[in-house]
Amino acid sequence: MIFKQRFVKSLSFALCLGAAATTSSLAQAKTFRVAVGDGAGGTQHELGLKFSEVFKEKTGGQHDTQLFLNGQLGDEQATVNDAAMGLLDFSILAINNVTPFSPSVGVLTLPYMVQSLDDAVALTQGEVGQQLVDNTIRDAGVRIVGWAYSGFRVLTNSKQPVQSLADLKALKVRVPNNEIMIDTYRAWGINPTPMAWSETFTGLQLGVVDGQDNPYITVYAMKFDEVQKYITNIRYLFSIEPLIMSEAVFQSQPADVQQAILEAGKAATEHSARWLVEQEDKIKAELTSRGMVISEPANNEQEWMDNAISKVWPKYYDKLGGRDNLNKILQSLGRDAI
């Protein structure tokens, strides 16, 4: 009888300990919020899905993420501010919307700096990429933990085929509020219209602007074929979209969760490169089947390239670490110095 009572007491004690441990574990569990600028089916969404899958797996299901698409948590630049203040956990956004907060990442938006997916991977995953991560923590209070590769930003418009800079002058073109991209269009002979991403579809629909530039995948995900007819296959800017995290939130996590975040970001980055290769040609074909007309720029885009590099690059040497720094980056890509 005494043995039975002791056994019951021991069992009750063990069950209480187990319940306390379970309660503690649940109390520590968290669902992290992830702001996503684009809609479902795009590169940002795909990066977010893969990150979420791997992060949940690596934390044994204890932690999860929730994606908020189509700028539900604010425009892309606003999410950088919110993350810096610790009000938002993660955001996936275009690199040009990080540049105002950490100017050195502007090297990835210099026209014709990145000329292939291989270039994009080499820059973001190598020494240059690590420097940009460090600089962004220092300058903006956010940490880049992953990268999405969306491909070249092609020009779309609703008025006419565009092959030359003379054709371009007939258009009102929306650009992000990014000084390098604005100056690139000015070098091409027009004054573009800076417009928030959240306003772009409506602006195209109402004719406030005639065109815009974004990767094929974004054109498809945002259904721009409903308000745009013509595509020009320019290759001035390879769209790279970082997954940023509040540095304050990152530092507040235990070491094992920090490691899970970094590993999930790396896995999602590698997945993004593969996904771009798999999807882009399919999406081009789909957009063509919906009535969009694709044109190539005249003379292998030489006129566009010459104007952009000669007029835009020198203006940003100092902001991007000097001419010598840019030459080191070019050398790492196997290209000639400027």
Side-chain angles (χ1 to χ4, degrees):
M1 187 66 178
I2 295 174
F3 172 79
K4 184 177 179 181
Q5 289 175 340
R6 287 177 178 173
F7 174 79
V8 171
K9 289 180 180 179
S10 298
L11 179 60
S12 299
F13 181 69
L15 288 173
C16 288
L17 283 179
T22 301
T23 301
S24 175
S25 175
L26 289 173
Q28 293 174 4
K30 178 176 179 179
T31 297
F32 292 85
R33 295 190 306 154
V34 184
V36 183
D38 286 354
T43 307
Q44 293 184 3
H45 185 214
E46 186 67 20
L47 182 81
L49 289 174
K50 191 64 177 180
F51 175 83
S52 299
E53 173 194 330
V54 177
F55 179 56
K56 187 173 183 178
E57 175 188 312
K58 288 189 175 294
T59 59
Q62 184 179 19
H63 296 296
D64 204 351
T65 60
Q66 183 177 0
L67 305 182
F68 293 85
L69 304 179
N70 288 313
Q72 292 178 64
L73 300 184
D75 67 52
E76 291 191 350
Q77 288 194 16
T79 66
V80 181
N81 269 324
D82 288 346
M85 293 187 291
L87 303 176
L88 176 66
D89 302 316
F90 293 93
S91 178
I92 306 173
L93 67 167
I95 192 71
N96 49 273
N97 285 316
V98 180
T99 306
F101 304 92
S102 186
S104 67
V105 301
V107 71
L108 299 176
T109 66
L110 274 180
Y112 301 100
M113 167 60 80
V114 179
Q115 298 188 6
S116 66
L117 174 59
D118 287 343
D119 283 357
V121 170
L123 289 179
T124 55
Q125 297 305 298
E127 181 180 346
V128 172
Q130 186 56 53
Q131 288 175 351
L132 297 181
V133 171
D134 295 341
N135 291 349
T136 305
I137 293 171
R138 178 196 67 203
D139 299 337
V142 297
R143 174 184 293 261
I144 299 171
V145 297
W147 304 88
Y149 306 111
S150 294
F152 289 103
R153 295 179 74 110
V154 296
L155 175 69
T156 72
N157 84 92
S158 58
K159 292 182 72 172
Q160 65 183 32
V162 172
Q163 294 181 294
S164 68
L165 295 186
D167 298 331
L168 182 66
K169 291 178 182 179
L171 304 180
K172 293 178 292 183
V173 180
R174 175 269 175 187
V175 294
N177 190 18
N178 175 271
E179 57 183 0
I180 295 178
M181 297 173 74
I182 292 170
D183 283 337
T184 298
Y185 274 89
R186 287 175 176 164
W188 289 337
I190 69 168
N191 280 318
T193 302
M195 183 180 288
W197 180 231
S198 59
E199 300 170 3
T200 300
F201 188 95
T202 303
L204 294 168
Q205 190 175 44
L206 297 178
V208 177
V209 287
D210 304 311
Q212 61 84 52
D213 69 60
N214 260 293
Y216 278 105
I217 290 172
T218 305
V219 172
Y220 175 75
M222 300 305 293
K223 299 183 179 179
F224 282 160
D225 58 282
E226 296 178 1
V227 291
Q228 301 279 268
K229 173 74 173 178
Y230 303 99
I231 297 175
T232 306
N233 230 3
I234 57 174
R235 300 168 68 84
Y236 86 105
L237 181 58
F238 191 100
S239 191
I240 299 172
E241 304 180 83
L243 168 61
I244 64 169
M245 181 180 188
S246 166
E247 180 64 7
V249 174
F250 181 83
Q251 292 299 338
S252 72
Q253 303 305 309
D256 60 332
V257 176
Q258 290 183 356
Q259 187 63 27
I261 289 167
L262 297 178
E263 290 177 3
K266 180 175 174 55
T269 299
E270 293 170 352
H271 173 76
S272 181
R274 293 191 299 269
W275 191 79
L276 174 62
V277 172
E278 292 168 359
Q279 296 297 318
E280 194 170 51
D281 285 344
K282 297 177 187 176
I283 286 173
K284 286 182 190 178
E286 177 63 23
L287 291 173
T288 301
S289 75
R290 295 183 183 184
M292 297 196 81
V293 178
I294 300 176
S295 300
E296 297 294 332
N299 194 28
N300 290 323
E301 209 173 333
Q302 196 62 50
E303 182 186 21
W304 305 66
M305 188 181 301
D306 290 346
N307 276 272
I309 292 177
S310 65
K311 296 177 182 178
V312 178
W313 281 44
K315 186 174 179 178
Y316 292 94
Y317 287 158
D318 291 342
K319 285 187 178 181
L320 300 178
R323 187 168 181 161
D324 288 345
N325 182 55
L326 289 179
N327 279 331
K328 288 179 183 177
I329 295 172
L330 289 170
Q331 184 179 21
S332 73
L333 297 174
R335 304 232 296 273
D336 294 336
I338 50 176

